[in-house]
Amino acid sequence: MEGGTAVTVSIGLATYPTDGTSEEDLLSQADEAMYVAKRLGRNQVRTAEEARHMSADVELMAMLLQEGQRESAARESATPEHLREMYTLRTIYSLMALLERRDEDLSAHAHAVSDLATAIAQTLGMEHKEVTRIGMSALLHDIGKIAIPDLLLQKMDHLSARERALLEEHAELGAQILEASPLLHDLRPAVRHHHERWDGYGYPDQLRGEDIPLAARIIAVAEAYDAMLRDHPYQAARSADQAIRELQHCAGTQFDPAVVEVLSGLLIQQPEQQLSAQLVG
């Protein structure tokens, strides 16, 4: 509500008997978990087990303490809009830090997809706020993979049908993670639907054509292009030209033809490295 007060919620969870056998122990463990939730950006739930793991990481806890001190100083002079932006970015950085600690390659892929998706949205003439939200959605499109077992993410052989079904759950898991934050919940459709297909044979909801949110269609093209440039246990990296040709071949079946056309035009005009540098600059 305009003119209202922004409210954030940080929750710490402790369970009996894993985290303690007395009321005092459980409250203490829950309090520590709540502290970690606050330092990681608020509007989230952390368990006592997570808090213990993070407390064992001296470097991480020192970083969280420094960030908390800087945040307090900045909050004293910030406007409500600036506060919202600061909390949004902090939440995103916290999630990305978790993703990078899980898998550096996933983090690098996410940043590349965000650059490409942002460039596509800009070329489509979308409003600045929409472009920004698409860039954020693209950055977080694989965040659900933090809940996927390492053995599955790092498997060298082809996945079985059951394993592929488990991996495909990352889109829904990512949307569930974003749902916990009032600052990021509007990014859920883009993250949930970035593996839908133009012909309706994607997942998780088999949406078709323009029923798929535009942000998700943009991320799908950007994600596929960058994925093809990278080595995978089951597939060698392709050249940029090969990746573009594959996107064009799948336009109208897997991908939105208009989005493929925009990215193809951008990459023909300037290499991906120059494109990323221009966006950063």
Side-chain angles (χ1 to χ4, degrees), residues 62-251:
M63 179 190 73
L64 293 178
L65 180 60
Q66 284 185 334
E67 287 298 315
Q69 293 170 343
R70 283 198 291 267
E71 178 186 304
S72 296
R75 192 163 52 243
E76 293 179 0
S77 59
T79 65
E81 185 61 33
H82 287 156
L83 279 174
R84 181 180 177 84
E85 181 179 351
M86 179 176 70
Y87 288 137
T88 300
L89 292 175
R90 281 183 54 80
T91 304
I92 290 174
Y93 292 152
S94 297
L95 290 171
M96 290 306 298
L98 290 174
L99 188 66
E100 185 165 2
R101 289 170 70 86
R102 182 71 187 276
D103 190 320
E104 291 184 2
D105 289 337
L106 280 178
S107 177
H109 170 65
H111 282 89
V113 173
S114 182
D115 286 344
L116 291 169
T118 298
I120 293 170
Q122 288 174 336
T123 303
L124 287 170
M126 302 178 73
E127 294 183 0
H128 175 72
K129 183 177 180 180
E130 292 180 286
V131 172
T132 300
R133 301 307 280 184
I134 287 174
M136 292 178 179
S137 301
L139 195 61
L140 297 171
H141 77 280
D142 270 344
I143 195 63
K145 288 185 177 178
I146 64 174
I148 301 297
D150 286 336
L151 289 176
L152 190 56
L153 291 176
Q154 299 169 4
K155 186 174 180 181
M156 300 297 291
D157 300 326
H158 283 283
L159 301 178
S160 67
R162 173 58 179 162
E163 290 169 334
R164 181 163 295 281
L166 287 173
L167 183 60
E168 289 178 356
E169 289 181 2
H170 79 273
E172 294 176 87
L173 292 171
Q176 291 172 17
I177 290 170
L178 298 183
E179 187 175 12
S181 170
L183 300 173
L184 302 178
H185 72 273
D186 62 317
L187 308 183
R188 289 177 299 163
V191 171
R192 179 181 177 88
H193 298 299
H194 75 276
H195 278 295
E196 305 285 2
R197 288 174 53 112
W198 187 254
D199 58 13
Y201 288 96
Y203 63 87
D205 298 315
Q206 294 77 53
L207 299 184
R208 177 190 297 269
E210 294 186 359
D211 289 339
I212 306 169
L214 178 56
R217 285 180 266 150
I218 290 172
I219 294 171
V221 172
E223 193 275 339
Y225 174 78
D226 185 74
M228 285 187 281
L229 300 185
R230 299 177 185 274
D231 282 315
H232 300 278
Y234 51 85
Q235 180 177 291
R238 306 187 192 187
S239 68
D241 288 341
Q242 289 173 326
I244 292 174
R245 285 197 297 270
E246 182 63 20
L247 288 178
Q248 293 170 340
H249 175 72
C250 295

Side-chain angles (χ1 to χ4, degrees), residues 10-16 18-39 44-52 55:
S10 302
I11 298 175
L13 292 180
T15 59
Y16 174 90
T18 304
D19 302 313
T21 56
S22 69
E23 180 179 348
E24 183 179 348
D25 287 341
L26 289 171
L27 287 174
S28 175
Q29 291 291 321
D31 188 62
E32 287 296 320
M34 182 181 67
Y35 171 81
V36 169
K38 286 182 177 181
R39 294 282 69 81
Q44 56 186 279
V45 179
R46 292 291 163 182
T47 66
E49 183 179 4
E50 288 177 311
R52 288 193 294 272
S55 295

